[in-house]
Amino acid sequence: MSTRTNIIIKGGKFSVILYRHYDGYPAETGAHLLETLRACGLTGDLSRRHPDDCAASFVNRLLRTHCADSFGSGGVRFEYEVTTELHGDIEHLYRVEFTNGGRLVLAHTEIPIGHAEEDESVIVGRLSKYSIPEFASMVNRERDGINGRMRARGMPESDALQPVLV
């Protein structure tokens, strides 16, 4: 079963919605968003960078993210795709916004079962906003919870999800 998600990315006049079909929960997608922001140099002082440039750089890096095709074809599967609207079956929604003055606003909400078909403005209105350290803390709490459940089932320590750094 997949955990689908959308990510709204905004910066100045730039705006795009990405879709990810699997691993949409914060311990995975949230962590990947933070890792990608850090890899793009977008977690520090952005006051001298244009919001559109920051958003475009971030989206470009996300769209190039891929993994081995799980169907054994030897190919790759890209993790994100551009979409025109929020999907009706998502379970998580993220928003990454680069504002004038160099602020980065991260937001997330989990969409309760049966509520994904609600109006987009209702879903977006549920978003909780985070600073980068707050978002990382939320992601790491999720990872700690998963690790605890997996350890209880005998997972080796070497397979534990590592905390994300900012």
Side-chain angles (χ1 to χ4, degrees):
M1 187 158 156
S2 298
T3 306
R4 295 163 297 277
T5 190
N6 280 133
I7 303 110
I8 301 169
I9 301 169
K10 293 185 173 272
K13 295 180 181 179
F14 182 94
S15 181
V16 70
I17 301 173
L18 299 181
Y19 174 73
R20 185 175 186 182
H21 187 71
Y22 56 91
D23 293 341
Y25 45 89
E28 189 62 36
T29 295
H32 188 250
L33 294 176
L34 284 171
E35 291 163 359
T36 304
L37 285 165
R38 190 175 64 244
C40 292
L42 297 172
T43 57
D45 180 13
L46 303 176
S47 61
R48 296 182 184 262
R49 295 187 63 181
H50 193 281
D52 286 336
D53 294 339
C54 294
S57 175
F58 182 56
V59 168
N60 184 29
R61 185 72 160 249
L62 288 173
L63 289 175
R64 289 184 287 136
T65 304
H66 62 277
C67 60
D69 186 353
S70 59
F71 296 109
S73 68
V76 297
R77 181 182 67 222
F78 289 92
E79 294 190 22
Y80 301 93
E81 62 185 69
V82 175
T83 187
T84 57
E85 60 190 4
L86 295 184
H87 285 222
D89 61 351
I90 61 172
E91 297 169 61
H92 292 270
L93 175 64
Y94 298 85
R95 182 177 173 138
V96 180
E97 184 171 4
F98 300 91
T99 67
N100 289 323
R103 266 191 64 211
L104 170 61
V105 179
L106 298 167
H108 168 260
T109 189
E110 185 170 354
I111 300 167
I113 294 173
H115 290 263
E117 296 294 332
E118 289 180 340
D119 183 78
E120 182 176 331
S121 63
V122 173
I123 293 172
V124 170
R126 286 197 193 105
L127 287 167
S128 297
K129 293 181 181 177
Y130 299 90
S131 66
I132 293 173
E134 291 168 338
F135 193 81
S137 179
M138 182 266 294
V139 166
N140 287 330
R141 279 191 309 275
E142 290 267 335
R143 285 186 157 207
D144 287 344
I146 289 170
N147 286 338
R149 290 188 298 276
M150 296 306 290
R151 281 187 194 105
R153 293 185 178 123
M155 175 187 74
E157 192 61 37
S158 60
D159 290 345
L161 294 170
Q162 299 304 307
V164 293
L165 307 172
V166 286

